[in-house]
Amino acid sequence: MHSIKIMAVVGLIIFGLISTLAIANSIKNAQFLTNKSISSEFVIQELPEQIPSNNQWIINATQSQKLVTEGATILDARSCKIFHPKSLSNAICISWKEFSQPQLPFKGKLLTDDKILTEKLQRIGVFNDKPVIVFGDTINGWGEDGRIVWMLRTLGHQKSFLVDGGFNALVQTGFPTVNFVNNSSTVRGDFVVNRKKNWQISQNELKANLENNNLIIIDTRELREFYGKTPYGEERGGHIPGAVHIYFKDWLDENGMLFSREKILEILAKKGITKDKTIVTYCTGGVRSAWSNVVLVDLGFQVKNYSGSMWEWSASNADIYSLDMSKK
């Protein structure tokens, strides 16, 4: 009986040693993801070292984790104060409208004062040398995340990225969520606006190039809008002459994730859209079109967002800025 007790104790000791080694090995293989500018910490398994280049505008949720370890600013572009009470830990909730002109027909256009834009972006923690990741509601949203990324790139921040799959993808990958809180405790950034012309086009520039055979205009609105409905305050209906229709969500699957690059390129090719063309995107107020702009730039296209879009175009002289309602 005594020998049996000894064997039992030895067995328990051996089991304990094996368990301890297993736990230690698990901890060794896991990596703790920590944003140096924040206090949150969570475990990520086998975090890859892939870092997106500045030419890449869209990243996946796992790449987002890597950027958080580098102190990335996290921006929630949804209407999180109203419809989305939960956000990601340390995310800053913003609206594209905060950075745009307040009055119709120019609501789609960015504020003109760079000092005001600089102040707004510094206040939400945007730094010159730190990445910014932006997420939205890809299923129910309007492409607000793309609008913010387009804005940041246009204003000179070349390390800003849209997260494929948005909020849901980040949560599924392990990002912790919290009830929304205000942004008053955000560390002030040092970003200074330095505008780039690469990804924007004015109304007059677009008008002057309508007959350019190398230009393709993509209307990213719903089909009913393309054919003349005016549900969002446009003064006239229809589409810009020569535009092709590609609704901005036609590039997403049922889970709000982007289709493969090959599939999107196939969709574009069927519309005659190839990389030797210059592309202009537009919508109602430059939001859906900005999201489309981000996708197209990431695919390697030359593309500009007409942010004034239908609000501006439809409010202008109909004899000069005509609209087409044909159902070709």
Side-chain angles (χ1 to χ4, degrees):
M1 180 67 70
H2 182 68
S3 61
I4 293 174
K5 288 182 178 179
I6 292 173
M7 290 175 67
V9 170
V10 170
L12 287 172
I13 292 172
I14 293 172
F15 177 78
L17 288 171
I18 293 172
S19 299
T20 301
L21 288 171
I23 292 171
N25 187 59
S26 175
I27 292 173
K28 181 180 179 181
N29 289 336
Q31 297 191 29
F32 285 89
L33 176 60
T34 307
N35 184 327
K36 296 177 182 178
S37 66
I38 60 180
S39 59
S40 70
E41 190 176 74
F42 55 101
V43 177
I44 300 301
Q45 297 292 333
E46 298 180 0
L47 189 65
E49 295 301 319
Q50 183 181 4
I51 300 174
S53 68
N54 291 347
N55 293 329
Q56 182 179 348
W57 287 32
I58 299 175
I59 57 176
N60 59 38
T62 305
Q63 288 174 307
S64 300
Q65 295 168 346
K66 174 61 180 173
L67 293 183
V68 169
T69 68
E70 300 175 2
T73 299
I74 310 170
L75 299 182
D76 185 343
R78 307 170 303 157
S79 300
C80 47
K81 298 178 184 179
I82 304 172
F83 301 111
H84 302 282
K86 281 192 174 296
S87 187
L88 297 183
S89 178
N90 301 291
I92 301 153
C93 183
I94 64 172
S95 168
W96 65 273
K97 296 178 181 178
E98 300 173 45
F99 310 94
S100 302
Q101 298 183 34
Q103 301 296 327
L104 284 173
F106 307 116
K107 279 188 174 183
K109 302 173 74 171
L110 295 174
L111 294 170
T112 58
D113 192 324
D114 287 355
K115 290 183 179 179
I116 292 176
L117 286 168
T118 293
E119 168 61 27
K120 285 177 175 289
L121 291 169
Q122 289 185 358
R123 194 186 309 152
I124 61 172
V126 177
F127 290 83
N128 280 307
D129 60 349
K130 290 184 179 181
V132 178
I133 62 174
V134 189
F135 67 89
D137 179 353
T138 56
I139 295 176
N140 301 307
W142 290 74
E144 297 94 337
D145 45 355
R147 169 71 181 210
I148 297 299
V149 171
W150 168 81
M151 175 191 75
L152 287 169
R153 294 278 181 155
T154 297
L155 296 180
H157 195 289
Q158 302 309 302
K159 293 183 179 180
S160 45
F161 305 96
L162 179 148
V163 181
D164 184 17
F167 178 76
N168 290 338
L170 291 168
V171 172
Q172 291 173 10
T173 309
F175 277 77
T177 61
V178 295
N179 290 327
F180 174 76
V181 294
N182 63 42
N183 304 326
S184 59
S185 60
T186 303
V187 177
R188 186 178 181 86
D190 62 7
F191 175 71
V192 177
V193 168
N194 180 22
R195 294 195 191 228
K196 310 295 181 183
K197 296 182 178 180
N198 309 50
W199 308 291
Q200 60 180 331
I201 189 169
S202 70
Q203 180 187 39
N204 288 335
E205 287 174 315
L206 178 55
K207 175 66 174 66
N209 283 280
L210 285 182
E211 303 301 322
N212 185 342
N213 292 328
N214 198 50
L215 178 72
I216 294 181
I217 305 170
I218 301 178
D219 186 318
T220 66
R221 302 173 299 161
E222 301 166 56
L223 197 58
R224 62 174 180 146
E225 299 171 79
F226 185 76
Y227 288 147
K229 297 294 184 182
T230 56
Y232 306 117
E234 308 93 321
E235 292 197 17
R236 292 180 287 134
H239 52 269
I240 294 176
V244 298
H245 178 260
I246 304 179
Y247 181 48
F248 83 109
K249 288 188 178 180
D250 285 349
W251 298 335
L252 296 171
D253 66 18
E254 66 275 9
N255 298 313
M257 300 292 294
L258 281 162
F259 290 135
S260 68
R261 298 173 73 88
E262 293 74 21
K263 185 167 184 176
I264 296 175
L265 288 171
E266 182 182 337
I267 293 171
L268 293 167
K270 288 179 178 178
K271 297 278 188 176
I273 302 170
T274 53
K275 291 184 179 179
D276 60 327
K277 304 290 186 180
T278 298
I279 301 169
V280 169
T281 58
Y282 78 94
C283 57
T284 306
V287 178
R288 292 173 285 184
S289 57
W291 184 92
S292 301
N293 183 284
V294 169
V295 175
L296 289 165
V297 171
D298 190 74
L299 287 169
F301 286 86
Q302 301 176 65
V303 55
K304 297 176 182 290
N305 180 33
Y306 170 38
S307 61
S309 283
M310 279 292 289
W311 276 335
E312 181 181 50
W313 192 278
S314 69
S316 302
N317 188 321
D319 294 331
I320 299 174
Y321 302 98
S322 61
L323 287 167
D324 186 355
M325 287 195 289
S326 62
K327 299 185 178 182
K328 299 178 182 178

